[in-house]
Amino acid sequence: MIDPITLIELTNLKAAGKLEELAAHPQLGMKPDWIGELAQSGNPTVRKTLAYNPALADFPTIVEKLSKDRSTIVRVYLASNPAIVTAPQAVNKLGESGPVDIRSALATNPALVNFPKIIQKLADDEHTVRFFLARNPSIANFPEIIQKLATDKARNVSEALASNPAIPTRTARI
């Protein structure tokens, strides 16, 4: 059932031209057509804000669209959004993205637990990406990745793993 108060709030934000606030609203999914409009906004700040909205979990086609956005910052925000789990092709695209910032953001995403191949790919990436992956608690169920990161040549990667609260201290200091 649609909450009329929330619907009024969303309508008021749109009418006032407060598109960034609208894009951030957690109940934006009540107006699916507006999500599509915001994804096509000429303003990258609006698209960036939408890209991190948890409501995107119900809109995998929008996630797919945003994963191809021309703005790197939009793709960075999308890569860090756990809602992308509903769009596996987008996750794969982001994992193969050119800019290291996008892959680094993806490496922090707790939804990675559902994408072991992407975790493996990120574990073989640049040291910055490996650093962020080592800090991600969702790698705890991947002993081969933990082993690889624990013995990484880049000291900051093994240190990041040692500070990961989901990894037993003994394991992280191999």
Side-chain angles (χ1 to χ4, degrees):
M1 181 169 164
I2 295 179
D3 173 24
I5 303 293
T6 303
L7 191 54
I8 290 169
E9 184 180 333
L10 291 170
T11 304
N12 288 341
L13 286 172
K14 186 172 185 194
K18 297 181 177 181
L19 299 183
E20 190 173 348
E21 288 180 51
L22 181 63
H25 200 287
Q27 299 300 318
L28 182 58
M30 295 172 75
K31 298 295 285 180
D33 52 322
W34 291 0
I35 289 180
E37 288 177 32
L38 292 169
Q40 294 177 21
S41 171
N43 183 340
T45 303
V46 170
R47 296 191 318 273
K48 167 194 83 165
T49 304
L50 177 65
Y52 197 69
N53 190 316
L56 286 183
D58 295 328
F59 301 93
T61 57
I62 299 298
V63 173
E64 293 284 340
K65 178 178 177 43
L66 292 172
S67 74
K68 300 170 190 163
D69 197 279
R70 65 189 174 276
S71 171
T72 299
I73 194 68
V74 170
R75 290 178 285 146
V76 165
Y77 272 71
L78 183 66
S80 61
N81 185 346
I84 65 173
V85 71
T86 61
Q89 289 179 324
V91 177
N92 288 325
K93 175 124 179 98
L94 294 166
E96 297 168 358
S97 255
V100 70
D101 296 348
I102 296 169
R103 296 188 315 280
S104 294
L106 184 62
T108 68
N109 194 319
L112 273 185
V113 71
N114 299 296
F115 300 94
K117 289 182 181 176
I118 297 294
I119 289 176
Q120 180 61 54
K121 183 176 237 171
L122 296 175
D124 292 329
D125 207 319
E126 295 182 35
H127 78 277
T128 304
V129 176
R130 296 191 317 269
F131 169 81
F132 286 109
L133 183 64
R135 296 178 62 189
N136 187 333
S138 69
I139 67 166
N141 295 324
F142 299 94
E144 69 285 354
I145 299 299
I146 294 168
Q147 175 70 30
K148 182 177 199 145
L149 296 173
T151 58
D152 198 286
K153 288 182 259 181
R155 184 176 173 170
N156 69 339
V157 172
S158 56
E159 288 173 354
L161 184 70
S163 70
N164 185 330
I167 309 300
T169 306
R170 186 171 156 231
T171 305
R173 299 189 192 280
I174 293 175

